[in-house]
Amino acid sequence: MTEILVSTEPATGAAIWESPIGDVETEVAAARAAFPAWAAEPLAVRTEALRRFANTVRAHQAEFADLIARETGKPLWEATTEVEAVVNKVDISINAYSERSAQHRFEGAMGAKVALRHKPHGVLAVLGPYNFPAHLPNGHIVPALLAGNAVVFKPSEKTPATGQILVKLFHEAGIPEGVVRCLIGGAEQGKALAAHPGIDGLLFTGSARAGVSLHKQFAETPQKILALEMGGNNPIAVWDAGDMEAAAAIVAQSAFLSAGQRCSNARRLIVKDGTEEKLLKPLLKIVDRIIVGDPHAKPAPFMGPVIDNQAAEQLQAAYASLVAKGATVIRALERRDPALPFLSPAILDVTDVADRPDEELFGPVLQIIRVPDFDAALAEANNTAYGLSAALIGGGPELFERFWTFVHAGVINWNKPTNGAPSNAPFGGVGLSGNHRPSAYYAADYCAYPVVSSEAEQIRGAITTGLRDPVTLEG
Ligand code: NAD
């Protein structure tokens, strides 16, 4: 019997889409067949095709944003910015390709002309997460296609409708159907795709749990490119901040934007012991005003639900476990309807929890940690195996210099939220947050490999050292 994947709307629990699970063999074979012709196209042709894709997405902006909002539960205003990011990715990737993968010619030794050019890997698998179901996989797919690869994209099983529409928009823009394929399925199909001998690499955005498992799976195939963008347990330190109202707004945005479902959300708030009340007063004022609601509600909510009931239950369990271990509740994690995954923004003081788990709580739960001095704040910021984003709010340039130098992360901000990274810069983390293949502006680097050629129009060869005197060969 054909297995069917159903997508449900988190805000209502209603089924909004269904489709049979895809076949890995069929999708990889289609991409393999299409790859040579696509790779052979001049860069200008691929660039034009992707510009048409940007225009096609723009033309469907309203309905695409509506679908993303319904399928993820994120507010419509946020889904609209996600579609804008999909459009903007095209120009950013074109610029990045020309800067990071451009052709260069220069003089080599002995009058040789040296050419540096880049080649695509072949067929790349892309595995996407649910939190930005269009923008994040698109951040791999666009640079991969531009570089001449074919792509098999498996969207998250929680947001397959968005993934399928994204691929349809590439086709509608005239990109050949074989060049970008959509594989519908879950982790099982993700594993099978990753193990398929017909792929030349895998570009993954998702949890550290799945990323580590893929890294193991790739241990015996070093010839395949593997780019892992994973989670974070990100710190935000508020230190010597003059304007506490502004600091509180930055903390709230860092912790609760997207209902805490961004890899770059702040999870741990580090403050000087004894100063927390000054920050908490304005922070709680904001938190108590945050509207949690349906993505299309008016007035617009700040946060929608989390992705599904299972995610809500896992967050509730992790929150309850921290409370059981001695955390002080400052704002409780509340679920207004046990049948739906709407969660309120929660704040816990976990300073007295002895064995705090270094886990990414992917939802609206902020943990406060009080420390005696700035050295302790730095140590606490690095008290994680992850290293995605971090922020210092307050202090002067010298304090930020210390923070920047000491903290182990790929995004380190000053007086700015941990999230909302500039889209025309690289994005990636260290530690368990990635495998040193940052995405966004640097995605060009993992989508093509450099080929160096020393070239001369005439054949000129001579060996001048290490040969015996010439002898006359007899016979
Ligand atoms: P996930 O790891 O559960 O799933 C991601 C994708 O991988 C899905 O398509 C899923 O089907 C597939 N998958 C899951 N397990 C797999 C396995 N063992 N083998 C092969 N494929 C597998 O992640 P998610 O819950 O969809 O997304 C949330 C996570 O993504 C969070 O941890 C978040 O921090 C992270 N994330 C990271 C970034 C970044 O840029 N660093 C951005 C967004 C989200």
Side-chain angles (χ1 to χ4, degrees):
M1 208 176 74
T2 320
E3 248 193 294
I4 302 285
L5 182 65
V6 177
S7 180
T8 53
E9 203 173 27
T12 62
I16 54 168
W17 173 99
E18 64 172 47
S19 162
I21 299 278
D23 178 47
V24 179
E25 287 300 331
T26 309
E27 301 309 335
V28 173
R32 279 246 75 86
F35 163 66
W38 180 248
E41 291 284 12
L43 176 61
V45 169
R46 296 197 301 267
T47 303
E48 266 323 295
L50 287 163
R51 289 214 158 104
R52 283 198 308 274
F53 163 71
N55 288 335
T56 308
V57 175
R58 214 177 265 124
H60 292 281
Q61 171 148 10
E63 68 258 37
F64 199 20
D66 178 66
L67 173 64
I68 294 171
R70 290 179 67 199
E71 197 174 39
T72 60
K74 68 175 69 175
L76 185 61
W77 58 265
E78 204 189 336
T80 304
T81 62
E82 178 165 357
V83 179
E84 280 161 13
V86 170
V87 172
N88 295 341
K89 181 57 70 181
V90 171
D91 274 344
I92 291 169
S93 303
I94 292 168
N95 289 341
Y97 188 86
S98 74
E99 192 181 297
R100 310 279 305 171
S101 315
Q103 277 194 32
H104 288 287
R105 289 189 177 269
F106 49 92
E107 294 290 315
M110 317 262 299
K113 305 268 183 244
V114 179
L116 165 61
R117 286 168 286 213
H118 291 76
K119 288 193 189 186
H121 296 285
V123 173
L124 293 179
V126 171
L127 296 180
Y130 65 77
N131 63 331
F132 280 93
H135 169 52
L136 289 174
N138 190 60
H140 295 302
I141 297 171
V142 168
L145 295 181
L146 189 63
N149 301 282
V151 166
V152 179
F153 163 41
K154 193 201 77 63
S156 162
E157 57 278 25
K158 297 179 180 182
T159 51
T162 301
Q164 194 179 58
I165 291 294
L166 181 70
V167 171
K168 276 199 179 141
L169 292 170
F170 281 107
H171 298 161
E172 196 177 317
I175 292 173
E177 295 209 352
V179 166
V180 51
R181 306 295 307 164
C182 182
L183 171 66
I184 296 298
E188 196 187 317
Q189 284 67 34
K191 278 185 206 165
L193 178 60
H196 199 287
I199 64 157
D200 300 290
L202 174 80
L203 315 179
F204 167 84
T205 308
S207 63
R209 182 187 32 77
V212 168
S213 141
L214 288 163
H215 200 260
K216 286 184 188 151
Q217 201 176 333
F218 272 62
E220 287 181 17
T221 50
Q223 71 275 25
K224 298 192 182 193
I225 188 93
L226 176 66
L228 301 173
E229 317 300 332
M230 302 183 282
N233 188 7
N234 310 311
I236 186 166
V238 177
W239 212 265
D240 293 343
D243 184 344
M244 282 298 186
E245 305 261 328
I250 293 174
V251 169
Q253 179 177 339
S254 298
F256 301 124
L257 196 65
S258 310
Q261 296 172 111
R262 286 192 184 204
C263 55
S264 52
N265 278 119
R267 311 290 173 200
R268 294 173 298 134
L269 169 62
I270 303 167
V271 291
K272 188 169 184 186
D273 198 10
T275 68
E276 63 277 9
E277 282 309 321
K278 276 195 202 144
L279 175 65
L280 275 175
K281 215 170 150 201
L283 180 59
L284 295 181
K285 263 196 203 160
I286 297 173
V287 166
D288 292 342
R289 287 177 55 212
I290 283 181
I291 302 174
V292 181
D294 183 279
H296 294 82
K298 290 200 175 106
F302 183 79
M303 287 170 31
V306 296
I307 191 70
D308 57 18
N309 287 334
Q310 190 194 3
E313 273 137 33
Q314 280 169 357
L315 284 159
Q316 286 179 299
Y319 166 92
S321 158
L322 285 170
V323 174
K325 284 179 175 171
T328 307
V329 177
I330 294 174
R331 278 295 175 272
L333 184 69
E334 279 164 3
R335 189 167 173 191
R336 63 187 194 209
D337 179 346
L340 292 173
F342 288 96
L343 295 175
S344 64
I347 304 180
L348 290 174
D349 186 325
V350 296
T351 312
D352 297 330
V353 177
D355 52 344
R356 288 192 297 275
D358 180 19
E359 269 171 23
E360 178 189 46
L361 299 188
F362 207 58
V365 180
L366 179 65
Q367 301 171 56
I368 299 188
I369 300 152
R370 288 171 282 113
V371 293
D373 52 38
F374 197 65
D375 282 338
L378 292 175
E380 182 52 47
N382 278 347
N383 188 16
T384 173
Y386 293 93
L388 192 54
S389 66
L392 171 68
I393 312 302
E398 273 178 34
L399 204 72
F400 179 58
E401 176 72 21
R402 278 178 70 195
F403 189 80
W404 190 93
T405 305
F406 192 80
V407 170
H408 198 228
V411 174
I412 304 180
N413 293 341
W414 184 29
N415 292 333
K416 292 282 178 192
T418 52
N419 43 27
S423 49
N424 52 356
F427 183 82
V430 290
L432 261 189
S433 298
N435 67 337
H436 298 283
R437 302 217 180 267
S439 194
Y441 202 71
Y442 282 2
D445 297 7
Y446 57 66
C447 289
Y449 63 94
V451 179
V452 176
S453 310
S454 293
E455 301 172 358
E457 297 226 340
Q458 263 109 39
I459 310 173
R460 285 206 192 96
I463 297 175
T464 54
T465 327
L467 300 185
R468 275 193 289 274
D469 282 344
V471 288
T472 312
L473 295 176
E474 287 177 16

